[in-house]
Amino acid sequence: MTLSFFVSGLPVAQGSLKWFPVKGPRRVILTSTAKGLKPWREVVCYAAREAMQKAGATMTTEAVAVGMTFILPRPKALKNKATPRHTKRPDLDKLQRACLDAMSRIVYFDDSQVDDWLPMPGRRKRYAKPGETPG
């Protein structure tokens, strides 16, 4: 079965974890450094859940192949010029991690089930074409 969906908005990378010690023996709090991660994950969750319902699918415990394309906002300086490759932050692997984690317990039980990347779209990030919505 193939499941496909688009999530409109600014893709947010997973970010790194920071830890803070808390009073008491061996206690720490972990927090993410990524701003906007929680709302982005919620939007991805919603889109994945909606696509699963539309397809009449249920969460799988089998191996999964995934493809992701991240469309990032086009810089104003480009206007209608040719679109260069996206070589700046956010990192592609951190964008992927945020989405894979967001789809856990919706599309698949855990993102460890992802064992392959689809040849197209594979995994990539790019600037939006003129008039294209980021997502």
Side-chain angles (χ1 to χ4, degrees), residues 4-74:
S4 179
F5 59 93
F6 177 77
V7 180
S8 180
L10 178 65
V12 178
Q14 182 77 17
S16 301
L17 291 177
K18 282 190 175 182
W19 66 275
F20 300 94
V22 179
K23 286 185 179 180
R26 305 172 115 186
R27 293 190 55 196
V28 296
I29 293 177
L30 288 174
T31 184
S32 176
T33 59
K35 292 180 181 171
L37 179 61
K38 188 174 180 182
W40 171 247
R41 275 192 178 174
E42 288 173 357
V43 173
V44 172
C45 285
Y46 178 80
R49 190 173 286 116
E50 196 171 74
M52 291 286 284
Q53 288 175 349
K54 187 175 181 181
T58 57
M59 181 178 64
T60 184
T61 56
E62 303 296 319
V64 197
V66 177
M68 293 183 194
T69 298
F70 297 95
I71 303 168
L72 297 156
R74 185 178 184 83

